[in-house]
Amino acid sequence: MSSATINDLFHALTIGTLSKHELERLYAGLSNFIDTFNSDRSIKSCLINDIYPSSLKIDIISEIVSDCKHTRNFLEALIEFNLLKTFVDSREFFLKKLRMILGKIKIEVTTVNTAQIEKLQLVRENLENIWGENLEITFKEDSNIIGGLILQVEDKFFDGSLNGKINELKNLNLEGEL
Amino acid sequence: MANELDIVGQIKFAFYHLLNLILFFGVLYYLLKKPISEFFSSRSLKIKNEIDKATEIIDDAQKTYDENSQKIDLIESELTELRNSIDSVTNKKISKIIENAHLMIDKIKNDTTDIIKLESIKLTNDIHIEVLNKSIEFTRYELMSDIDETKDTMLISSFFEEVKQNVISNN
């Protein structure tokens, strides 16, 4: 019931009324809000807790997304309808929906070392070569992968790491044993 | 003469006394015959009754004895029968128990063989897995020391080729 209402609000916000630039800003604003929400525990507890007044929540949201009017209005509407918690719980779904509208693809790249700028540039070029230029790329460092890359492209997972190859071989061997 | 008179007198005297005695006995006989006869008759009857009763008791006792003897014989035969039956049941039970024990032994033997086989397979698998883990660990260590910038770049380029092919084939 609540999710449907968020859907309605989201639908009203995204279909027809906003330009692509405004939608880009809305996406950036919501992403920024989600990042802040995830990183700051005091903000998180304040926003999802019913004991705090709506006015305080609206003030906090205004501070986080001061540069995007549409994001602010959308989040304020969610607070007004007491749907912020539901939205936060299903945030990835709505962000993905927005990305689909914008034709944007979210890619998370895991490498051994994120300090190697040239290599990151090479990766970025290759990704753009495959999925186009409208990408949201984030790099993550994990030395356990030994070498190569791991890609999380929206819902798809590509493991090109040496650790992944080793695990693959290990699993093949284990299947052979059993 | 006087002596003769005296003897006659004495005989006479004796005769009278004898007569008295006979009369006395006659009177006694007349008077006592009936009560004594009745007394002995009743006594005889009483003794006869007692003998009859005793005979009856003896007969009853004999009868009871016979009955008890019969019962004892019956009990003895039943006991013998029961003993035979118990022996038969016991023998059957013993043979059944022995048969079950043999079956159990066979089952335990088969189970033990199976367990040993499974444990052997498990141990072999464990050893293989352990060897595999060590090999993986060693490979990981070797790769970590062997990988350099060029190889990593080559690996990444090759991986992107694979991903590209995958995306194209999916599209």
Side-chain angles (χ1 to χ4, degrees):
Chain A
M1 190 77 181
S2 298
S3 189
T5 317
I6 296 175
N7 258 329
D8 292 343
L9 288 171
F10 192 76
H11 194 72
L13 185 71
T14 53
I15 302 299
T17 53
L18 299 181
S19 66
K20 196 176 178 188
H21 175 67
E22 284 172 324
L23 281 172
E24 286 277 4
R25 289 193 67 185
L26 173 71
Y27 178 75
L30 282 177
S31 297
N32 181 33
F33 168 73
I34 298 293
D35 289 345
T36 313
F37 179 88
N38 286 335
S39 58
D40 195 323
R41 290 185 74 178
S42 56
I43 287 177
K44 188 177 184 174
S45 67
C46 177
L47 288 176
I48 60 170
N49 212 322
D50 290 338
I51 59 165
Y52 294 103
S54 297
S55 56
L56 177 67
K57 291 178 183 177
I58 288 169
D59 285 347
I60 290 171
I61 283 170
S62 300
E63 269 186 45
I64 298 170
V65 287
S66 56
D67 54 340
C68 181
K69 187 182 78 180
H70 297 296
T71 312
R72 206 167 54 243
N73 289 343
F74 175 66
L75 291 171
E76 281 174 10
L78 290 178
I79 289 171
E80 201 175 311
F81 286 100
N82 199 22
L83 291 167
L84 188 69
K85 194 176 180 301
T86 319
F87 171 73
V88 165
D89 289 342
S90 50
R91 53 192 177 264
E92 279 308 317
F93 170 76
F94 290 105
L95 287 177
K96 192 181 170 189
K97 225 172 169 185
L98 255 181
R99 281 199 297 274
M100 278 174 76
I101 293 166
L102 291 166
K104 192 190 278 287
I105 296 170
K106 185 183 178 184
I107 301 177
E108 189 184 86
V109 184
T110 308
T111 62
V112 182
N113 187 0
T114 50
Q116 297 165 320
I117 308 296
E118 279 178 24
K119 198 183 282 177
L120 298 191
Q121 189 55 38
L122 174 76
V123 170
R124 194 182 292 275
E125 279 167 17
N126 274 295
L127 290 173
E128 285 175 358
N129 189 24
I130 299 168
W131 282 288
E133 289 185 358
N134 196 4
L135 302 177
E136 183 187 329
I137 304 171
T138 50
F139 289 97
K140 207 171 102 181
E141 190 173 303
D142 184 2
S143 58
N144 288 326
I145 68 169
I146 305 170
L149 288 176
I150 296 173
L151 298 178
Q152 177 76 52
V153 185
E154 293 293 356
D155 297 334
K156 288 179 185 162
F157 182 79
F158 300 94
D159 191 350
S161 67
L162 281 175
N163 191 46
K165 302 273 180 215
I166 291 169
N167 286 336
E168 213 174 291
L169 280 172
K170 186 183 173 182
N171 290 335
L172 275 173
N173 268 291
L174 284 176
E175 279 167 25
E177 292 294 337
L178 300 172
Chain B
M1 187 73 174
N3 281 342
E4 281 177 7
L5 283 171
D6 194 35
I7 288 165
V8 171
Q10 280 180 359
I11 289 167
K12 217 178 167 177
F13 180 76
F15 175 75
Y16 287 131
H17 272 87
L18 188 65
L19 191 70
N20 280 339
L21 192 65
I22 288 163
L23 280 172
F24 176 69
F25 277 114
V27 170
L28 269 181
Y29 178 77
Y30 179 75
L31 290 173
L32 293 177
K33 185 193 170 184
K34 199 177 176 184
I36 285 171
S37 166
E38 277 175 1
F39 169 75
F40 280 109
S41 171
S42 71
R43 178 129 180 111
S44 160
L45 198 66
K46 197 179 171 188
I47 287 167
K48 195 188 172 216
N49 284 340
E50 280 177 2
I51 287 167
D52 285 346
K53 267 186 192 173
T55 311
E56 212 172 283
I57 288 166
I58 286 166
D59 285 346
D60 285 346
Q62 184 64 46
K63 205 174 168 187
T64 312
Y65 173 78
D66 289 344
E67 277 176 8
N68 286 341
S69 293
Q70 268 183 352
K71 278 181 187 173
I72 286 165
D73 288 345
L74 199 66
I75 287 167
E76 267 179 12
S77 74
E78 275 179 9
L79 269 175
T80 312
E81 210 173 293
L82 202 62
R83 206 175 287 129
N84 290 338
S85 164
I86 287 167
D87 284 348
S88 154
V89 169
T90 310
N91 286 337
K92 270 185 192 170
K93 288 246 177 200
I94 288 168
S95 58
K96 189 92 182 166
I97 287 165
I98 290 168
E99 198 182 316
N100 282 341
H102 281 300
L103 282 173
M104 285 291 281
I105 288 165
D106 284 346
K107 201 172 177 302
I108 289 167
K109 197 177 160 188
N110 290 337
D111 284 355
T112 312
T113 313
D114 286 348
I115 287 166
I116 289 168
K117 268 185 197 169
L118 286 172
E119 282 296 319
S120 163
I121 292 167
K122 192 175 168 283
L123 277 175
T124 314
N125 280 340
D126 284 352
I127 290 165
H128 284 177
I129 287 166
E130 193 58 35
V131 169
L132 186 66
N133 282 336
K134 288 287 169 198
S135 311
I136 296 281
E137 209 175 297
F138 178 71
T139 311
R140 192 169 276 143
Y141 177 76
E142 281 290 305
L143 283 172
M144 277 172 100
S145 56
D146 191 46
I147 192 100
D148 57 17
E149 194 70 23
T150 322
K151 283 177 184 169
D152 196 29
T153 310
M154 277 170 68
L155 193 68
I156 289 169
S157 299
S158 144
F159 170 60
F160 272 117
E161 280 303 315
E162 275 177 41
V163 173
K164 196 173 181 180
Q165 289 300 320
N166 184 287
V167 171
I168 288 167
S169 62
N170 278 343
N171 284 340

